[in-house]
Amino acid sequence: MPHRARPAVILAAIAVLPFVWSVATQIAPGLADFGLRFMGPRFLGPYLALGYGGMMLAALSGVLFGLVLRVERPGWLPLALIIPALWAFLFTGGGPVPAALWLGAGYLVALALDWLVWQRGLAPVWWFPLRAAQTAVILPCLIVTAFA
C-alpha cells in the first residue's frame, strides 16, 4: 500500500476495533463484566455491533457518495450509493439475529459498491483492498453477533 495511504489504513484498523470488542464481550464473560462496569451496556456485545455497525454502514455510504461527486458528471451512480445508509436504517430492527445478518448483507452490498466506484477510477488505488480487508473483519464479527 502506498505511503500516503498509511493514515487511511490506521483509521480503517481503528474503525473495526468496536466490532472486535463487541465479539470479545460476547464470548468472554469477564470482558463483558469489565466493559459493563467501566463503559456501560451500550458498548458491549450486540448493542455495540449493531449500533456502531449501522452507523458505520451509513458513513461508508457518505464516503462513497463524496468520492463519486468529485467527477463532473456522475450520472445515476450517486443515487445507488445511498443504498447502504438506507439499508442500515431499514433492516436493523427485529432483534439482534436478523439485524446482524441484514447488517452483514449490507456490508456486502457496500463492498460491491466500493468495487464499482474503485473500478471506475473514482477512488484511490488502495481503496478497494482496504475496504475488502475491513469487510473481512466486520462480517465474521456480525456472524458471531447473530449466533452467539
Side-chain angles (χ1 to χ4, degrees):
M1 217 160 273
H3 175 70
R4 65 179 182 255
R6 186 175 298 157
V9 171
I10 293 168
L11 287 173
I14 292 169
V16 299
L17 288 178
F19 289 102
V20 174
W21 173 252
S22 166
V23 167
T25 62
Q26 290 176 70
I27 61 175
L31 284 177
D33 292 341
F34 171 83
L36 185 60
R37 193 170 351 160
F38 292 103
M39 293 181 261
R42 186 174 140 219
F43 296 101
L44 303 173
Y47 298 110
L48 177 59
L50 299 176
Y52 180 75
M55 185 270 312
M56 282 299 298
L57 192 56
L60 283 171
S61 195
V63 170
L64 287 171
F65 192 80
L67 287 172
V68 170
L69 287 183
R70 294 180 329 165
V71 300
E72 188 176 327
R73 302 174 80 195
W76 289 95
L77 183 57
L79 293 177
L81 299 177
I82 65 168
I83 291 171
L86 290 174
W87 192 287
F89 175 71
L90 294 172
F91 296 114
T92 55
V97 174
L101 295 175
W102 279 113
L103 203 52
Y107 276 94
L108 291 175
V109 168
L111 189 62
L113 292 170
D114 282 316
W115 182 83
L116 181 64
V117 168
W118 182 68
Q119 280 295 309
R120 289 185 174 201
L122 303 175
V125 292
W126 48 263
W127 178 262
F128 186 75
L130 181 62
R131 285 288 305 116
Q134 246 188 338
T135 303
V137 174
I138 293 168
L139 287 178
C141 291
L142 290 171
I143 290 169
V144 169
T145 297
F147 298 109

